[in-house]
Amino acid sequence: MDPTELSDEILLHILRYVPSTDLILNVKRTCRKLADLCLDKSLIQKVILHKEYQASDNQVKQMLREAGKEIRELDMSGCYWLSSSTVDLITQCKRLVRLDLSGCPLTSLRLSKLLSDLHQLSSLSIDVGAGFDSGQLTTECKATLRHVRELKQTLFAPSYGVVPCCVNLEKLLLYFEVLDRTREGTVMSGQLMVGESKIPHYQNLRLFYARLAPGYINEEVVRLYLTVFTDRTPENLRAFLISVPGSLAESSASKNLLDSMAKNVSLEAFQLPKSWLNGSSLLQHLKFSCPFYLSFSHSMISGGQLTQWVINGHMDCRSLVSLNLRACPFCLAPDLPFKKTVENIDCSILETLVTACPNLAHLNLSYAHHHSSENATRHLCDILAQLKHLRSLSLPVCAIVDTSSPTDKSLLQCPGQSTSRTATLGFGKKVRIGVQTDRMTLPDQNSCFWKLLKENPFIVHLELIGSNFYSAMPRNDPAIRNAYPPCALSHSVGDAQISNISELEFLQNLTLAQLPGIHTGSALVSIGMKCQQLRSLSLANLGMKGMVLYIASLCEMLSHCKHLKDLRLEQPYFSANGQFFQALSHCSSLQRLCIVSHNGNFQPDAVMSFISACPSLVVCHMFTGETLKACRNLQQSIKQR
C-alpha cells in the first residue's frame, strides 16, 4: 500500500515524529500531498531543535526562511553549535510567541537586535554571561520585553539580566550557575555588574523558581533577587520554589518574606531551603489552595508534622501531583528523635499520606532509611501500591526489602555484625562470588516490590538508590569525600528483586545505585530485553566494593537497548575494555556517555571503534585512573577522526 493513500489525519500523526528540518527540507519535496501536509499549522507552528544534533547551520537557515512566517514556538535550547548568522534569522519569525535560546551564545547586542522585531513574544529563555549590558538594549527591544510574561534566565555572571525590563512577568525561572572563581583563578564577586541599578518587577508574579548550583556567589546573587519580595509580596503568587544544594542561611529579609507570604498568599507549589524549614512553625501558617507540587527535600520534618498539617489543616490534597521527600529521614516517623537513628516507618503515617493524596504521579522517598518492621501490619510497598497514577518513583533500596521473608531475616541487624550468609558472600571459600541459583535470577513475584510495580505499570522514571549513596561527581549537590557503607538491609536486594523492574514496559529512565546484593547482574539482561523504551540508564556501585562481576550481563543488556540515549556508569575498578565498547556499539541511538571509575581504565582502540560505530554520540566523559598522557592522546585521536 502506498503510504500517501492514508488519510490526512493519520499522515499528520506520523509526521509529528519527524524532525522539523527533515520535514521542511526533505519530506516536503517528495510529492504534492506531503508538500501540503508538511506546511500544516499543527506541524510547523511549534519547532523543536533541542538535541537535534544533526541539524546543521544551512539546514536551520533554510527551514527558517521557508517556514519562519508560520512558526509560533521555537525551541533552540542547547544548540551551541549554530552560528550567530543562523540565530540572526530568527527575526524571520515575526509571529513568534515562545522562544528558547538557553545554551546558545548570545551577546546583549544580538539579543537586542532579535527582540526588536518579535513584537508578539510572551515567553523567553536566555543565558546571561559575563559582559552582558542591559544598557545596550534598544527601545524597541525593551518594548518587546514589556510584553513578556514568562522568563527563564540561566546566570553565568552576577546580573539581573533582562528581568527589570519585563514589567509584566507572571513566571520567573532562574538558574544560578555562577562560578566562585574565573578560569584564571580570580575570585568572583557577588555584586551585580555595572549599570544594574534597576530592580525587578514582581507585582504580577505567579511563579518564582530558583535553582542554585553549589557556590557562595550563587547564594549572594539569589538574595538580591529575593530582597525585592520584602517590599511587597505579589498577591497572585501561587508557586514559590527555591532549590539549594546544602543550606542557605536564613536572613532577616527572608524571614520578612515568609511572614508576608503566610499572611497574603495562597500557594499551589512550594519548596524552600532546608534551613528555612527546620525547627520552624512556618508550615502551620502557610496557606495552600489545591496544591499540585510540594517539596520538603533534605528537611528535618517528621511524619507527625506532615499528617497534622494535612489533617488538622483540612487541606484538600487530591490535587497533589508531585511530593518530594528526598533525604527526609523522619518523614515517615511520628516524631523527631533526640538522637539520629535508623527507625522503622510508622505505617499509619504513610497510609494517611497516600489516602489524602490519591492522585500522586511523582513521589520521591530516596536518601533515607525507610524500613518496614517485621511486625508491621503492612509493608511500605503494599501501601504505595494503592497509588494508581504513578509515573515517576524514587525509593531507597532498603525500602523494598520484604522483612517477612525468611531469606531476608538474616539481614535485619546492625552493620558490622555478620551472619553465615553474609560472611560466605565475598569471603567464603566454598561459594564463589556472583554464583546464584536459577531461582534467584527469576522475578520474585511474591515480593511486595513486584506487587507495587504490577499496580503501576505505566511508570516511566524509576530510581532505586542506596540510603548512604553519594556520587563521586555530583551535579547539584555538595561534594562529599567520605564513602559510607550501604545499609545492612540492602544486601538482601539481589537480581531476583531487581528483575521485577522488567515488568515496566513503558520505562524510559532507570537509576540503580549502591546495591551490594547484585552479583552476576542477570536482572539487567531481563530489563534490557523487556524495557524496550529505555532512554536513560544510570548504574552506580553495584555489587561488593572493589568487585565488578556484572560486566557480562551488562554487555548482554546493552545489546538490546536500541533506543538508549544516555548511559552513566559510576563504578570503582571498572575496566572499559573491548568487550564493553563492542556491546555499547549496539546502542546506535546513544548520544551521551559518562564513566566515573576510581582506579578504572579504558582501552583507547576500543573507544575509537565505539565512536566510529555511534554517529549520534555527542558527549563522551571518562573519569578513570588512567594517566593524563593517555587521556590527552585519546582526546587528540578523537579530534583527528
Side-chain angles (χ1 to χ4, degrees), residues 510-542:
L510 175 63
T511 297
L512 300 175
Q514 201 180 45
L515 285 96
I518 295 292
H519 300 295
T520 63
S522 56
L524 298 176
V525 180
S526 58
I527 293 173
M529 293 178 64
K530 295 185 179 180
C531 302
Q532 286 294 298
Q533 296 191 38
L534 198 62
R535 300 292 189 272
S536 177
L537 176 64
S538 178
L539 304 176
N541 294 9
L542 303 188

Side-chain angles (χ1 to χ4, degrees), residues 193-222:
M193 292 188 291
V194 178
E196 299 249 343
S197 57
K198 292 184 178 180
I199 61 173
H201 299 270
Y202 292 159
Q203 60 268 24
N204 298 318
L205 211 59
R206 295 179 60 85
L207 180 149
F208 179 86
Y209 173 82
R211 191 191 74 185
L212 282 69
Y216 73 94
I217 296 295
N218 291 316
E219 296 177 7
E220 288 188 20
V221 179
V222 77

Side-chain angles (χ1 to χ4, degrees), residues 64-65 68-69 71 74 76 84-96 99 101 109-119:
L64 291 175
R65 291 191 184 104
K69 294 180 180 179
I71 297 176
L74 178 59
M76 293 176 63
S84 300
S85 58
T86 302
V87 175
D88 287 341
L89 281 179
I90 295 175
T91 54
Q92 303 266 348
C93 310
K94 304 292 185 183
R95 302 179 62 199
L96 210 57
L99 175 61
L101 290 173
L109 284 173
R110 177 158 276 108
L111 177 66
S112 180
K113 182 182 177 182
L114 283 177
L115 299 186
S116 296
D117 293 323
L118 304 179
H119 305 298

Side-chain angles (χ1 to χ4, degrees), residues 217-232:
I217 296 295
N218 291 316
E219 296 177 7
E220 288 188 20
V221 179
V222 77
R223 286 194 182 96
L224 295 175
Y225 279 85
L226 293 174
T227 302
V228 184
F229 279 106
T230 59
D231 296 332
R232 181 186 176 189

Side-chain angles (χ1 to χ4, degrees), residues 567-629:
L567 175 62
R568 189 181 195 277
L569 289 174
E570 183 170 337
Q571 187 77 43
Y573 303 97
F574 184 84
S575 177
N577 54 23
Q579 178 191 9
F580 168 73
F581 279 113
Q582 184 178 2
L584 198 57
S585 300
H586 290 93
C587 305
S588 55
S589 301
L590 195 69
Q591 295 179 348
R592 287 168 292 277
L593 170 66
C594 180
I595 298 175
V596 181
S597 180
H598 180 67
N599 291 329
N601 59 73
F602 60 79
Q603 293 181 3
D605 293 342
V607 177
M608 296 304 299
S609 299
F610 154 70
I611 290 178
S612 300
C614 292
S616 299
L617 191 71
V618 178
V619 176
C620 182
H621 284 170
M622 291 190 291
F623 305 94
T624 65
E626 290 286 358
T627 63
L628 184 60
K629 182 179 179 180

